[in-house]
């Protein structure tokens, strides 16, 4: 009987303990449910971070986009990024008012029209994506001038506006098309379509760094290092933390209606009439030094501020299709090419007009024996021309020995087999020409340099060009003085000829200073051109 009170107390405590345990388990279960809900909410939040959250619940390709953005689709359709041709008013040598990559031959991958999209089998028997359209803003169809519904739905909005989106080539209903590459995407297609943003630098670099077949192969001043550039590499695109300007590509290449400002010297079309020039941000006479500022009338900023290019990744300087290629990192045969690192530019006048060889026409070699594919127009007597910095690319390309036309080739055949003869034969037949054999011709192209601007501390100094410096070939640029005037040697036409007493450096520094700075003579007193100032 004495144990009863203790037993009652133990039972009471046990009941309380079980109650507390029940409450604790309930709370634990609630926490688990809440945590699961948080995870669902987190996933939902991850999607809802996109600018288009809640606007659609399923993505049916570009058709979904143009339900709200029809006018934007029309803008993209008419742009150079989609059409790969446009207003060629700033060109010579072409018979059409519109021109571009399509319909034009080049010295890198030759002719895009017959090498659009497909799958290629590499040396290991693996299929990889192929075709020039890999950098086209479409989903596989070639662009057409009329904005049909099919053409508008062919625009790939996500390739520029979704950072998570990836694509690959697959056969769809009997034709090659770009489809979402879900294996290389984080998240599903709907998430990628909801997370829409303006293009950033990576968006632009995704296509422009690998043009020509590899990192920096083509342009020479746009390379993978631009994704995280240092100040010494590119002072404009380097972050503020790196001591750079922290600019984005679209800060300079501004857009109106999906048309981008800027045109390289070797690009046929002009996409936008918006001006792209250093003076949009910098004063036309920015140096606080009158002697230096005088140069800006005739010398583009690139001459002094891009002292070298291809600073990290070597660039293709010569491409020879007459020699056997070798497999690249994709396992496809790359044409034989010579690359350069830290290359010193070449310099020519440019007045905004460019010459192009027209596909299908007989090619004529210039004085140096090379066929000019693209070259800037302008000279020392052109008031609107300035000296610019250029990459000078040379090549050896197939040519028809009878008609003199440069020949296209089926690039995929070469990439897969290293057989240039078959590639040229099939390429010639693909454009409707009769193939009767081919030879090889030397070609050249001048490509304007506008990126990889160095900090001002690394700009060229006066002595790089003057006082014995050989950076510029003044004779080739047209700066030589006249040899005679009024039937006499130039100097003797005004006073006793003492030119034999001076070397070229002293002639410029002392004689030029005396006549220009002291006597205020115009250039035309001794040269065949007038002062640009």
């Amino acid at each position: 009987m004495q144990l009863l009170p203790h037993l009652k107390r133990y039972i009471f405590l046990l009941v309380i303990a079980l109650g507390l345990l029940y409450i604790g388990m309930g709370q634990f279960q609630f926490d688990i449910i809440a945590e699961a809900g948080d995870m669902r909410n987190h996933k939902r939040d991850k999607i809802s971070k996109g600018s288009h959250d809640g606007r659609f619940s399923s993505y049916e390709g570009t058709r979904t986009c143009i339900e709200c953005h029809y006018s934007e689709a029309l803008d993209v359709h008419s742009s150079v990024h989609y059409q790969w041709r446009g207003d060629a008013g700033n060109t010579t040598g072409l018979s059409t008012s519109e021109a571009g990559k399509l319909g034009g031959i080049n010295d890198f991958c030759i002719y895009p029209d017959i090498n659009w999209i497909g799958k290629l089998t590499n040396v290991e028997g693996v299929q990889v994506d192929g075709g020039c359209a890999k950098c086209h803003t479409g989903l596989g169809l070639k662009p057409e001038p009329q904005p049909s519904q099919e053409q508008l739905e062919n625009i790939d909005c996500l390739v520029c506006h979704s950072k998570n989106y990836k694509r690959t080539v697959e056969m769809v209903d009997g034709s090659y098309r770009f489809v979402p590459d879900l294996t290389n995407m984080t998240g599903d297609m709907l998430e990628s379509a909801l997370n829409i943003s303006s293009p950033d630098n990576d968006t632009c670099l995704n296509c422009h760094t690998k043009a020509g077949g590899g990192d920096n192969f083509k342009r020479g001043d746009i390379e993978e290092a631009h994704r995280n550039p240092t100040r010494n590499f590119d002072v404009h695109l380097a972050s503020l933390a790196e001591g750079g300007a922290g600019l984005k590509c679209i800060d300079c290449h501004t857009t109106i209606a999906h048309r981008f400002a800027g045109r390289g010297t070797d690009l046929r079309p002009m996409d936008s009439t918006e001006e792209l020039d250093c003076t949009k941000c910098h004063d036309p006479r920015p140096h606080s030094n009158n002697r230096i500022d005088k140069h800006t009338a005739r010398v583009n900023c690139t001459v002094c501020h891009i002292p070298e290019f291809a600073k990290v990744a070597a660039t293709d300087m010569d491409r020879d299709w007459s020699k056997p290629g070798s497999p690249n990192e994709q396992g496809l045969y790359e044409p034989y090419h010579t690359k350069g690192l830290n290359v010193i530019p070449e310099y020519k006048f440019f007045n905004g007009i460019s010459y192009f060889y027209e596909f299908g026409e007989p090619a004529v070699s210039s004085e140096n024996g090379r066929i000019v594919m693209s070259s800037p127009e302008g000279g020392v007597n052109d008031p609107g021309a300035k000296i610019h910095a250029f990459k000078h690319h040379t090549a050896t390309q197939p040519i028809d020995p009878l008609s003199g036309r440069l020949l296209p080739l089926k690039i995929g055949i070469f990439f897969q087999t290293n057989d240039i003869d078959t590639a040229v034969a099939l390429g010639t037949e693909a454009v409707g020409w009769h193939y009767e054999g081919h030879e090889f011709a030397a070609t050249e192209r001048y490509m304007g340099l506008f990126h990889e601007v160095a900090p001002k501390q690394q700009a060229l100094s006066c002595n790089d060009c003057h006082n014995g410096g050989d950076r510029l070939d003044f004779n080739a640029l047209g700066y030589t003085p006249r040899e005679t005037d009024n039937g006499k040697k130039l100097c003797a036409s005004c006073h006793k000829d003492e030119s034999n007493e001076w070397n070229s450096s002293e002639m410029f520094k002392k004689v030029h200073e005396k006549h220009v700075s002291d006597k205020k003579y115009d250039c035309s007193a001794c040269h065949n051109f007038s002062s640009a100032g």
Side-chain angles (χ1 to χ4, degrees), residues 276-435:
L276 174 53
D277 189 80
C278 301
T279 56
K280 291 186 72 174
C281 294
H282 300 283
D283 191 283
R285 297 171 66 86
H287 302 96
S288 301
N289 182 313
N290 188 52
R291 291 174 65 90
I292 299 177
D293 279 333
K294 282 183 178 180
H295 287 69
T296 62
R298 273 301 198 190
V299 181
N300 184 265
C301 305
T302 59
V303 171
C304 295
H305 292 279
I306 305 180
E308 58 187 17
F309 62 97
K311 297 179 183 178
V312 176
T315 188
D316 185 332
M317 296 299 297
D318 180 83
R319 181 166 291 208
D320 191 343
W321 291 93
S322 70
K323 297 179 179 179
S326 56
N328 59 17
E329 60 184 16
Q330 282 188 292
L332 299 173
Y333 286 99
E334 190 74 36
Y336 182 89
H337 57 269
T338 303
K339 295 194 290 187
L341 191 64
N342 296 315
V343 183
I344 293 177
E346 294 192 20
Y347 303 96
K348 293 176 74 69
F349 274 102
F350 179 50
N351 62 8
I353 306 297
S354 303
Y355 165 82
F356 290 92
Y357 164 74
E358 184 165 28
F359 179 65
E361 293 298 310
V364 180
S365 299
S366 58
E367 292 181 359
N368 64 6
R370 292 189 175 274
I371 298 165
V372 178
M373 305 296 289
S374 176
S375 182
E377 299 277 38
V380 69
N381 285 305
D382 186 342
K386 291 186 180 184
I387 303 171
H388 281 65
F390 291 91
K391 170 183 172 178
H392 182 208
H393 183 260
T394 58
T396 304
Q397 299 179 227
I399 190 171
D400 185 335
L402 299 179
S403 68
R405 297 183 296 198
L406 290 177
L407 296 176
L409 57 103
K410 288 294 287 183
I411 196 74
I413 298 297
F414 180 86
F415 285 164
Q416 296 174 100
T417 66
N418 205 18
D419 183 353
I420 186 64
D421 294 335
T422 301
V424 176
L426 293 178
T428 304
E429 293 170 1
V431 296
W433 298 346
H434 182 61
Y435 176 73

Side-chain angles (χ1 to χ4, degrees), residues 212-230:
D215 183 16
N216 204 29
F217 277 20
K218 189 172 186 179
R219 302 241 58 91
D221 64 342
I222 305 177
E223 46 186 298
E224 284 293 301
H226 275 106
R227 296 189 190 275
N228 189 27
T230 63

Side-chain angles (χ1 to χ4, degrees), residues 24 34 39 46 62 128 176 197 204 230 268 278 319 342 345 359 402 408 425 445 461 508 511 516:
M39 292 178 67
K46 187 178 179 183
T62 308
V128 297
Y176 284 112
S197 60
C204 304
T230 63
R268 298 170 182 85
C278 301
R319 181 166 291 208
N342 296 315
F359 179 65
L402 299 179
R445 168 189 303 268
S461 67
F508 179 81
V511 177
V516 175

Side-chain angles (χ1 to χ4, degrees), residues 178-219:
F178 287 107
V179 299
D181 187 4
L182 296 175
T183 58
N184 288 313
M185 291 167 53
T186 57
D188 57 24
M189 194 61 215
L190 177 60
E191 182 177 342
S192 296
L194 290 173
N195 280 285
I196 297 299
S197 60
S198 296
D200 59 13
N201 289 358
D202 285 337
T203 307
C204 304
L205 296 173
N206 287 342
C207 280
H208 288 283
T209 64
K210 298 295 180 67
D215 183 16
N216 204 29
F217 277 20
K218 189 172 186 179
R219 302 241 58 91

